[in-house]
C-alpha cells in the first residue's frame, strides 16, 4: 500500500458504532462480509482464534467484541494494513486480546512460526480470503484493491493448507466466499476439514445466493449439510430484521443450531 493511501483514511462504524475502524479510502475495505463471518463463529470459554488475511482487523475485532473470552491472532501480508489493524485494536480497547502479525499465509510455515504463529495452536481458524482467482477478468485496476481481492501464490488451496496447519485436531474452520466459488472451496477442504456446513446468504428472497458461509471441523468425516441460509434485504432494500441484528447489534448467526433443526 502506498503512502498516499495511508494518509487517506476513513473512520467507519461497525456493529452500530460499538467499533470504529480506520480504513484506506481506496483499496482494501471491510464491510458486510466481515461482520457476517464474525457473527457465525461459535466459541465457548477462553480459546484462541486465528484469522488469515486480517486486513484492517474488521473480523478479528468483531470477534473479540462479540466473544469477550476469545483471543484473536490476525495475519496480514500488507505491512501498512497490519499497522492499521494494530491501531484499530488499540483505539477500540482490544489490544490485549487482538494480536496482529505481518506475514504471508502462503509462504513457508517456519517463517510464520518464527513470528509467533502456533502449529495446531488454535481452536478456531477464520478467513475472508481474496474472492477472485488469479488472472481474473474482473480484477480491480487499483493495485491495493487487486491485492485484497485477487488470489495469488498457490490459490485457495494454500490458504486452507495454512488454516489446517494452524487448527488444533477437531478445530473449527469458518470462511465466507462467493457462492459460485463453492467447488473450489470444497476441493481445498478435502482431506483437511470435514463435517462441512454451508450457510448461503441471499441478497433478496427472490435472488440466488451471492455469498456462502462455510463451517467445517478438522479431521471430521461427517457428511456435508446445506443449511437454510439468510435473506439480507427486504424488497424495498432495507435489511431484514435478522440481518439488522447481526450487522448493527452483534447478534450471533448460529450455524450449529441451524444444522440441528
Amino acid at each position: 500500500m502506498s503512502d498516499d493511501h495511508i494518509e487517506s483514511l476513513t473512520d467507519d462504524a461497525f456493529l452500530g458504532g460499538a467499533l470504529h475502524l480506520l480504513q484506506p479510502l481506496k483499496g482494501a475495505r471491510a464491510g458486510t462480509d466481515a461482520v457476517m463471518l464474525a457473527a457465525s463463529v461459535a466459541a465457548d470459554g477462553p480459546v484462541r482464534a486465528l484469522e488469515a488475511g486480517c486486513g484492517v482487523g474488521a473480523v478479528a475485532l468483531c470477534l473479540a467484541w462479540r466473544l469477550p473470552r476469545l483471543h484473536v491472532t490476525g495475519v496480514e501480508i500488507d505491512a501498512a494494513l497490519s499497522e492499521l489493524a494494530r491501531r484499530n485494536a488499540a483505539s477500540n480497547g482490544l489490544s490485549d486480546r487482538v494480536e496482529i502479525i505481518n506475514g504471508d499465509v502462503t509462504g513457508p510455515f517456519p517463517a510464520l512460526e518464527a513470528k509467533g504463529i502456533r502449529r495446531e495452536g488454535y481452536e478456531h481458524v477464520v478467513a475472508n480470503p481474496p474472492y477472485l482467482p488469479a488472472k481474473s477478468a474482473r480484477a480491480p485496476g487499483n493495485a491495493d484493491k487487486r491485492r485484497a481481492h485477487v488470489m495469488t501464490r498457490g490459490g485457495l488451496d494454500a490458504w486452507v493448507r495454512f488454516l489446517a496447519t494452524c487448527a488444533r485436531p477437531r478445530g473449527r474452520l469458518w470462511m465466507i466466499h462467493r457462492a459460485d466459488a463453492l467447488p473450489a472451496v470444497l476441493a481445498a477442504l478435502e482431506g483437511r476439514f470435514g463435517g462441512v456446513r454451508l450457510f448461503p446468504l441471499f441478497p433478496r428472497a427472490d435472488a440466488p445466493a451471492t455469498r456462502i458461509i462455510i463451517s467445517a471441523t478438522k479431521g471430521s468425516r461427517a457428511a456435508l449439510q446445506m443449511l437454510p441460509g439468510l435473506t439480507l434485504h427486504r424488497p424495498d432494500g432495507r435489511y431484514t430484521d435478522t440481518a439488522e441484528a447481526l450487522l448493527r447489534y452483534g447478534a450471533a448467526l448460529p450455524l450449529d443450531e441451524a444444522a440441528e433443526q
Side-chain angles (χ1 to χ4, degrees):
M1 178 176 292
S2 60
D3 290 342
D4 60 331
H5 288 162
I6 288 293
E7 295 171 1
S8 302
L9 302 175
T10 61
D11 186 342
D12 301 306
F14 285 73
L15 300 177
L19 296 173
H20 280 263
L21 274 67
L22 295 175
Q23 301 197 76
L25 180 62
K26 300 178 181 179
R29 292 180 58 81
T32 301
D33 287 0
V35 181
M36 287 292 178
L37 176 59
S40 70
V41 178
D44 295 323
V47 296
R48 291 184 174 273
L50 177 114
E51 184 193 358
C54 68
V56 300
V59 175
L61 292 172
C62 287
L63 278 173
W65 184 87
R66 285 190 54 248
L67 302 167
R69 301 179 71 188
L70 188 72
H71 183 281
V72 188
T73 298
V75 185
E76 171 54 47
I77 191 172
D78 189 300
L81 292 182
S82 298
E83 182 56 32
L84 267 184
R86 293 187 193 100
R87 289 173 61 185
N88 286 331
S91 65
N92 285 282
L94 293 168
S95 291
D96 58 332
R97 291 192 296 111
V98 177
E99 172 190 22
I100 306 298
I101 293 175
N102 178 213
D104 181 1
V105 303
T106 68
F109 193 79
L112 293 166
E113 282 187 298
K115 296 184 177 185
I117 300 298
R118 303 180 181 188
R119 187 184 298 268
E120 293 195 339
Y122 305 88
E123 286 84 359
H124 300 273
V125 291
V126 184
N128 179 10
Y131 284 167
L132 299 175
K135 300 180 181 179
S136 171
R138 293 183 288 168
N142 176 279
D144 296 329
K145 186 175 289 188
R146 185 166 59 250
R147 185 184 302 114
H149 291 278
V150 179
M151 182 66 75
T152 58
R153 292 196 57 181
L156 185 61
D157 189 76
W159 280 61
V160 175
R161 180 171 61 248
F162 167 75
L163 294 170
T165 300
C166 294
R168 288 185 174 180
R170 309 298 296 181
R172 296 290 295 277
L173 171 141
W174 311 85
M175 181 184 291
I176 188 167
H177 213 302
R178 297 189 341 265
D180 62 359
L182 183 56
V185 173
L186 294 178
L189 296 178
E190 183 69 29
R192 295 168 175 147
F193 294 90
V196 178
R197 293 171 177 174
L198 305 176
F199 191 89
L201 299 176
F202 304 95
R204 302 182 312 277
D206 60 351
T210 55
R211 297 287 186 267
I212 191 159
I213 297 174
I214 303 103
S215 169
T217 301
K218 184 176 178 178
S220 173
R221 295 180 179 274
L224 181 149
Q225 298 181 63
M226 177 64 77
L227 305 180
L230 173 68
T231 299
L232 298 178
H233 296 96
R234 305 172 189 267
D236 63 5
R238 292 180 299 138
Y239 283 119
T240 61
D241 290 344
T242 301
E244 186 81 13
L246 293 164
L247 295 170
R248 307 290 186 224
Y249 307 115
L253 186 60
L255 268 66
D256 292 345
E257 292 180 17
E260 294 168 0
Q261 293 177 357

